[in-house]
Amino acid sequence: METTGRLGERGVAAAAQGLPAEARRSVDGYLMAGFPWYGLDEAFTGPRWLMQVGAAADGIVEYGSTGHGEEPSLRVETDMDQQRFTVVVTVASRPGRDSADGTGKLEATSVSSAAWLAGSGLLSCTWPTRMERALRQDWLDQQTAIAWELADDLEGESWSQLSLPVDGVPTDFHYRESEYGWVLAGTAGEDVHIGAYGRGMSAYGLGFAVVKDITRYDA
């Protein structure tokens, strides 16, 4: 999928293309970013792990995720209700601009971009109970379309407001729950937007902070 013209509310979640796979899944990709990464603050003392970064066609890192708690599994025998994790998504705040190859426009990123990434991320680690493997892709396509619509309507009734600390400062987030977990999204200063999703860990007691040393996260 091309990122050109789709790096805004929906397209920022397009597959990373500008980095080799090993960089996207290791600390190297995170070190290439020109913006700060966010994770849970020091109140969280459990495992921390890297996921992957996403880049535009020119290799500039646009977003990435850090994991906390137990890495979610899609194994059918895994009880979804017993999984405990929180994933924090950091999205660079970008204005609308021309694509690197000059063939189109890249939309500005926004809180909706973070909401979409968080919503689709929760879906990607969810296996609905009592569903055959062959039907999961149809379910995922349907739920992904719903996640797009919800991310585009952050003032709608599906979202509530939740205040959580970001670097110690109370910050307003858009928040929603579903049977599969929770999703939230907001802005941290001028440089980035933050999204998060999780299951088994309450969002109400969380706090976010700049990751001072991304190498602390196990790849």
Side-chain angles (χ1 to χ4, degrees), residues 180-202:
Y180 308 111
W182 53 264
V183 172
L184 60 79
T187 294
E190 298 180 356
D191 294 328
V192 299
H193 306 292
I194 294 177
Y197 61 93
R199 187 158 55 230
M201 295 173 60
S202 173

Side-chain angles (χ1 to χ4, degrees), residues 27 30-31 35-42 48 66 68 90 167-168 208-217:
V27 73
Y30 291 81
L31 294 174
F35 54 88
W37 295 106
Y38 275 79
L40 295 186
D41 61 21
E42 294 301 321
R48 296 172 182 256
T66 55
H68 310 77
T90 306
D167 294 322
F208 305 101
V210 169
V211 176
K212 296 179 181 179
D213 182 7
I214 194 66
T215 62
R216 289 181 52 201
Y217 284 72

Side-chain angles (χ1 to χ4, degrees), residues 16-123:
Q17 301 199 24
L19 299 174
E22 59 271 19
R24 296 201 301 268
R25 295 181 177 86
S26 72
V27 73
D28 295 342
Y30 291 81
L31 294 174
M32 294 172 64
F35 54 88
W37 295 106
Y38 275 79
L40 295 186
D41 61 21
E42 294 301 321
F44 176 77
T45 58
R48 296 172 182 256
W49 31 276
L50 296 177
M51 298 187 70
Q52 71 175 33
V53 302
D58 56 4
I60 295 177
V61 175
E62 300 285 352
Y63 66 92
S65 303
T66 55
H68 310 77
E70 304 165 359
E71 293 193 46
S73 173
L74 279 180
R75 292 179 300 180
V76 177
E77 66 270 17
T78 301
D79 189 344
M80 195 170 67
D81 293 335
Q82 294 180 355
Q83 295 182 351
R84 298 184 69 257
F85 64 89
T86 293
V87 173
V88 180
V89 184
T90 306
V91 184
S93 179
R94 307 283 197 208
R97 67 250 188 235
D98 293 331
S99 62
D101 58 10
T103 60
K105 295 283 187 179
L106 300 180
E107 300 174 12
T109 58
S110 67
V111 177
S112 289
S113 306
W116 152 236
L117 278 171
S120 60
L122 180 62
L123 291 173

